[in-house]
Amino acid sequence: MPATDLRRRGVPEATVARLPAYLRVLGAMAARGVRSTSSDELATAVGVHSAKVRKDLSQLGTYGVRGVGYDVAHLSMEIARELGMTRDWSLVIVGMGNLGRALAGHGGFASRGFRVAALCDNDPAVIGQRVGETTIVSLSALSDVIDAESAIGIITTPPHAAQQVAEALVAAGIRSILNFAGGALTLPEDVDVRPVDVASELQILAFHNQRRIQPDLARAAP
């Protein structure tokens, strides 16, 4: 995936993680008819310092013009190209429980270059059912229905099944995986895995919320 290419070029992972936020903000600006923007405006919208914005964009070889800033359309195109958004990507969702079905029905993927290409489950009672326009197939049939080179796997199974599912995705040729199942996956080094741990994110929010409710805790912290 493009993120791998960016890392190979020495672009920091933190910079790669911020690029989608810049692209989202630029898209909103373009929709309002804004033609140029500054690092200060991008920084405010994304929630980082302007110096970090300038450094991030310089990693891509993109520099603003003093007194003019960044051309919104051109910068959007540059970031989209770096992220691989100038082509369509196929999504393979494995695990047709509530989360898997919700993701399969998510309407926001298509506008960002992602198409749900395959839905998989190993439950015979589920295989053959349809979610929207897509029929659920067994994981063993995956190679017959997708082009692995342009596919991204999404694991929404229970945690105990995640490793086996990930290995099956890799065996099918998929090298990019979004893991909602939790737990660490042991996979080849050329496979990119992004874990999504909703419980951990909620715990972080709870931490900050507790500090607001009980400010004495924040003052007492070492």
Side-chain angles (χ1 to χ4, degrees):
M1 276 196 66
T4 303
D5 295 337
L6 289 171
R7 287 198 297 273
R8 286 172 180 164
R9 284 164 38 199
V11 178
E13 185 72 27
T15 294
V16 177
R18 285 188 288 270
L19 293 182
Y22 297 144
L23 188 59
R24 183 184 68 249
V25 169
L26 289 166
M29 289 179 174
R32 299 197 307 270
V34 177
R35 295 187 176 183
S36 64
T37 187
S38 67
S39 57
D40 286 336
E41 290 173 329
L42 285 173
T44 298
V46 175
V48 297
H49 295 296
S50 58
K52 184 163 291 184
V53 172
R54 292 191 294 272
K55 184 174 181 180
D56 285 344
L57 298 181
S58 70
Q59 297 280 353
L60 311 182
T62 300
Y63 303 90
V65 178
R66 184 178 294 276
V68 177
Y70 299 92
D71 181 275
V72 169
H74 179 72
L75 184 56
S76 295
M77 181 185 67
E78 290 290 318
I79 295 176
R81 185 180 64 201
E82 293 288 358
L83 288 173
M85 295 296 97
T86 54
R87 61 176 293 179
D88 289 332
W89 296 95
S90 300
L91 301 181
V92 176
I93 303 175
V94 184
M96 286 294 101
N98 291 335
L99 177 57
R101 290 173 184 266
L103 289 174
H106 180 51
F109 288 138
S111 63
R112 299 199 178 187
F114 300 101
R115 177 180 65 89
V116 177
L119 304 176
C120 301
D121 203 291
N122 279 341
D123 183 350
V126 172
I127 294 171
Q129 293 181 6
R130 293 178 68 84
V131 178
E133 299 298 317
T134 307
T135 301
I136 300 171
V137 300
S138 68
L139 191 55
S140 61
L142 181 59
S143 298
D144 299 328
V145 296
I146 57 106
D147 173 13
E149 186 175 307
S150 61
I152 299 171
I154 303 178
I155 301 176
T156 57
T157 64
H160 67 82
Q163 180 66 39
Q164 182 179 357
V165 167
E167 291 173 0
L169 290 172
V170 171
I174 292 175
R175 289 294 180 272
S176 299
I177 296 173
L178 188 65
N179 180 24
F180 281 90
L185 300 176
T186 303
L187 298 171
E189 291 185 358
D190 66 336
V191 178
D192 288 314
V193 178
R194 297 286 299 180
V196 181
D197 189 338
V198 176
S200 292
E201 297 301 324
L202 288 171
Q203 288 171 337
I204 293 170
L205 289 173
F207 169 85
H208 292 296
N209 205 35
Q210 180 171 256
R211 291 308 192 265
R212 281 190 289 270
I213 296 170
Q214 297 177 272
D216 288 344
L217 292 177
R219 287 195 292 269

